[in-house]
Amino acid sequence: MKTSYIALDLETTGLDPERDQIIEIGALRLNERFRETGSFKTFIRPRFYPRMNGDVVQLTKIRAQDLEKAPEFPRAYADFMEWCGEDC
């Protein structure tokens, strides 16, 4: 069985766990030599607070327009888990 790794990057609307939400999932699949063998990226439409904080926009370069047609978290998560397959 070959070893693979998933490197995961999440972007959020901020750092308040009571209010902020994940707005992007990015991931790389790496082989046992840490060479990239696949990638995944999806934006996620915020459900509760669709306005973007200016500091978050500046840091992530993700604008509200980028999220308007994006899936909500349950769909994005399901897509990510499908992409991961047995690696997750």
Side-chain angles (χ1 to χ4, degrees):
M1 175 164 110
K2 289 189 176 187
T3 301
S4 63
Y5 303 93
I6 301 293
L8 181 64
D9 178 43
L10 301 176
E11 300 296 344
T12 69
T13 56
L15 298 175
D16 182 346
E18 299 289 323
R19 186 184 85 146
D20 293 308
Q21 301 167 81
I22 296 170
I23 54 172
E24 182 183 20
I25 299 173
L28 295 176
R29 181 180 287 116
L30 308 171
N31 66 17
E32 64 278 356
R33 294 185 175 152
F34 300 104
R35 293 199 174 110
E36 182 181 335
T37 60
S39 64
F40 178 89
K41 178 181 174 180
T42 187
F43 289 127
I44 300 167
R45 185 169 17 123
R47 188 170 183 191
F48 301 110
Y49 297 97
R51 292 201 58 187
M52 294 290 290
N53 176 306
D55 292 336
V56 172
V57 173
Q58 186 174 355
L59 179 66
T60 66
K61 308 298 186 248
I62 299 171
R63 300 166 303 141
Q65 303 91 295
D66 298 325
L67 307 176
E68 288 174 356
K69 296 191 188 234
E72 288 188 349
F73 184 80
R75 174 78 260 154
Y77 179 74
D79 291 346
F80 172 68
M81 293 304 291
E82 182 178 326
W83 175 82
C84 280
E86 294 181 7
D87 294 328
C88 288

